[in-house]
């Protein structure tokens, strides 16, 4: 829906081409949708050096960046040093050398912030509350990874019933980012949040990366390209592209060990889709957030007592009762043997798109109050320092 603190007129700087046309078509689709249409009025400037034109003409004070990730760290730094406020999609870092630009962009005002939606998700927020309740969760266990996170995405899939078209450069890790720096940007942020570790620098213990094989026929379907562009030749063997998009990281935040596995499959199974699974292991109970075929592809929260099940369940039900004013209709019900599910009525969360609205509102509040979020800046830098280390170790 329209953001009252942002002008409807937006200035778009880009090179001429299919990506600009696709972006403008998407804006038009949002403007025409029902319900909650937007009312953006794009004013487009095309140039060989769109960033230079933007800085020179300075027709606004906030720049929002998305798209190709290669070079993004340098772009954010130039905008930051030119006095612009920046809200940029992840990942900021594609290669280890980008870290110096990230550090410079986070070193004081003007504000540079990530588009990081996970902390605005209702289910994730409830998981954090459950983990923070010592009578339910206890403390993080120390006999292995206390946080285990896994996500599975698919290169070829349908969105709103239509095949998702990806640009060819999505398969170039120099432009998109490799497995260790892409999806883990969100995953590590969630782990930092769960352990209240925003002031603690995570330390990498191990990292590995591997490729998904993309046949030429699948590449044509996904991108609409007639064949592999010349830029992708270093990653092509015969009629198959090797896309290094998968990763496993093990790291520590203070005394808590976390593991993250993120991978891309070519196609989902029939009736399947993207999936994610996150579990926090506590001394009294495990708290699990899952979205998969087993949960009918809905994000569902489970509490699995490990000791004093009666006490854990009693406290869980009492806590859920206290949430009724904030989350009407929420309830805790028996699920699998020795587990309970915290059921969140669907109307309580408007879906992933609403998270972007909350991110923008939070960003504009910081701008309006000219409030420097020192803790967030430190957290972001610590996270990218970890991911730069992972990228270097998996080259």
């Amino acid at each position: 829906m329209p953001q009252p603190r942002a002008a409807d007129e937006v200035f778009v700087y880009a090179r001429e081409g299919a990506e600009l046309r696709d972006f403008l078509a998407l804006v038009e689709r949002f403007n025409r949708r029902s319900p909650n249409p937007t009312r953006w009025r794009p004013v487009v400037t095309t140039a060989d050096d769109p960033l230079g034109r933007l800085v020179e003409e300075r027709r606004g004070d906030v720049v929002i960046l998305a798209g190709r990730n290669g070079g993004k760290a340098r772009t954010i730094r130039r905008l930051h040093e030119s006095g612009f406020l920046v809200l940029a999609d992840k990942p900021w870092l594609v290669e280890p050398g980008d870290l110096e630009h990230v550090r410079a962009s986070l070193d004081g005002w003007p504000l540079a912030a990530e588009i990081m939606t996970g902390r605005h998700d209702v289910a994730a927020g409830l998981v954090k509350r459950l983990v923070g309740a010592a009578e339910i969760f206890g403390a993080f266990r120390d006999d292995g990874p206390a946080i285990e996170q896994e996500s599975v995405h698919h290169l070829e899939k349908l969105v709103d019933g239509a095949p998702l078209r990806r640009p060819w450069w999505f398969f170039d890790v120099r432009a998109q980012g490799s497995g260790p720096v892409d999806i883990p940007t969100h995953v590590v942020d969630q782990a930092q949040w769960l352990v209240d570790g925003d002031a603690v620098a995570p330390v990498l213990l191990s990292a590995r990366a591997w490729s998904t094989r993309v046949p030429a026929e699948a590449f044509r379907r996904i991108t609409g390209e007639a064949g592999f562009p010349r830029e992708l030749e270093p990653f092509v063997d015969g009629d198959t592209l090797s896309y290094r998009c998968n990763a496993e990281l093990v790291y520590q935040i203070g005394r808590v060990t976390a593991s993250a596995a993120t991978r891309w499959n070519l196609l989902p199974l029939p009736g399947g889709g993207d999936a994610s699974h996150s579990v926090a292991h506590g001394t009294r109970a495990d708290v699990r957030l899952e979205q998969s075929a087993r949960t009918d592809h809905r994000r569902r929260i489970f509490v699995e007592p490990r000791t004093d099940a009666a006490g854990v369940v009693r406290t869980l039900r009492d806590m859920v009762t206290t949430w009724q004013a904030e989350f009407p209709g929420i309830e805790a019900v028996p699920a699998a043997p020795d587990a309970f599910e915290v059921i969140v009525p669907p109307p309580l969360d408007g879906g992933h798109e609403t998270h972007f609205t909350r991110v923008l509102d939070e960003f504009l509040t910081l701008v309006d109050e000219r409030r420097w979020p020192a803790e967030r800046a430190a957290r972001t830098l610590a996270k990218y320092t970890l991911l730069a280390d992972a990228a270097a170790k998996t080259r």
Side-chain angles (χ1 to χ4, degrees):
M1 62 182 62
Q3 165 56 252
R5 288 185 288 175
D8 296 338
E9 190 173 59
V10 292
F11 300 98
V12 180
Y13 288 80
R15 293 182 177 87
E16 185 62 65
E19 292 172 41
L20 174 60
R21 293 191 294 272
D22 288 347
F23 170 76
L24 295 175
L26 182 64
V27 171
E28 183 63 18
R29 201 170 89 196
F30 273 82
N31 282 344
R32 292 178 179 272
R33 73 180 178 181
S34 178
N36 299 323
T38 54
R39 56 190 187 210
W40 300 116
R41 298 196 306 272
V43 177
V44 180
T45 297
T46 58
D48 291 334
D49 179 18
L51 176 60
R53 283 285 297 276
L54 184 155
V55 171
E56 178 185 350
E57 296 180 2
R58 200 179 189 86
R59 299 159 86 181
D61 51 9
V62 175
V63 178
I64 297 178
L65 290 178
R68 299 191 191 207
N69 301 315
K72 183 183 288 181
R74 292 188 297 276
T75 297
I76 295 171
R77 181 175 185 175
R78 181 175 177 188
L79 291 167
H80 173 78
E81 293 177 346
S82 298
F84 289 92
L85 302 148
V86 181
L87 183 60
D89 198 12
K90 64 85 189 166
W92 290 8
L93 180 145
V94 168
E95 56 187 35
D98 289 335
L99 186 60
E100 66 172 288
H101 302 301
V102 173
R103 181 179 289 107
S105 299
L106 293 170
D107 187 22
W109 200 264
L111 178 62
E114 282 183 292
I115 299 176
M116 191 59 55
T117 58
R119 299 191 182 202
H120 297 276
D121 174 69
V122 169
L126 292 174
V127 167
K128 177 169 173 57
R129 294 189 189 196
L130 291 167
V131 169
E135 301 89 344
I136 293 174
F137 182 73
F140 284 101
R141 294 173 61 189
D142 58 7
D143 56 351
I147 298 174
E148 294 182 283
Q149 298 162 294
E150 182 179 6
S151 66
V152 180
H153 300 267
H154 298 90
L155 297 171
E156 188 172 359
K157 62 183 178 181
L158 300 179
V159 175
D160 291 334
L164 176 63
R165 179 64 58 88
R166 300 186 189 275
W168 68 263
W169 55 257
F170 180 88
F171 294 90
D172 186 343
V173 295
R174 298 164 300 188
Q176 175 65 15
S178 62
V181 302
D182 189 5
I183 305 300
T185 310
H186 276 295
V187 173
V188 174
D189 182 81
Q190 287 289 293
Q192 289 174 299
W193 191 34
L194 274 183
V195 304
D196 291 324
D198 287 352
V200 180
V203 176
L204 186 69
L205 301 179
S206 66
R208 75 181 186 98
W210 68 99
S211 299
T212 293
R213 306 282 285 174
V214 183
E217 182 179 348
F219 183 84
R220 285 192 290 270
R221 289 195 304 267
I222 296 168
T223 65
E225 299 284 339
F228 296 123
R230 183 183 62 220
E231 291 87 344
L232 295 179
E233 286 180 359
F235 315 114
V236 175
D237 182 11
D239 66 348
T240 303
L241 171 75
S242 181
Y243 181 35
R244 197 171 175 80
C245 53
N246 310 298
E248 285 184 359
L249 309 181
V250 179
Y251 56 99
Q252 277 188 309
I253 305 174
R255 301 180 60 155
V256 178
T257 301
S259 68
T262 63
R263 69 179 188 271
W264 288 83
N265 293 338
L266 191 60
L267 281 164
L269 296 172
D274 291 352
S276 62
H277 175 265
S278 174
V279 57
H281 297 288
T283 52
R284 289 180 61 80
D286 293 343
V287 179
R288 178 161 53 93
L289 177 60
E290 182 171 352
Q291 179 176 346
S292 67
R294 293 187 301 179
T295 66
D296 297 323
H297 300 288
R298 293 185 294 112
R299 289 168 66 76
R300 294 168 63 179
I301 305 165
F302 299 91
V303 176
E304 301 161 349
R306 298 179 52 82
T307 185
D308 184 21
V312 168
V313 171
R314 184 171 55 252
T315 304
L316 173 63
R317 284 177 162 156
D318 290 345
M319 179 173 285
V320 168
T321 298
T322 67
W323 292 345
Q324 290 300 319
E326 186 178 0
F327 303 105
I330 193 171
E331 57 181 334
V333 301
D338 304 320
F340 272 71
E341 180 178 358
V342 177
I343 296 179
V344 183
L348 293 183
D349 190 354
H352 187 55
E353 185 183 315
T354 63
H355 304 162
F356 291 94
T357 301
R358 296 167 193 161
V359 167
L360 179 58
D361 186 66
E362 181 183 52
F363 176 81
L364 293 177
T365 297
L366 292 171
V367 170
D368 289 344
E369 297 175 357
R370 196 176 173 83
R371 176 157 45 91
W372 175 246
E375 188 175 80
R376 174 190 289 189
R379 172 184 86 221
T380 303
L381 179 58
K383 177 180 67 176
Y384 278 117
T385 301
L386 174 78
L387 298 182
D389 193 11
K393 282 183 166 57
T394 56
R395 275 185 164 180

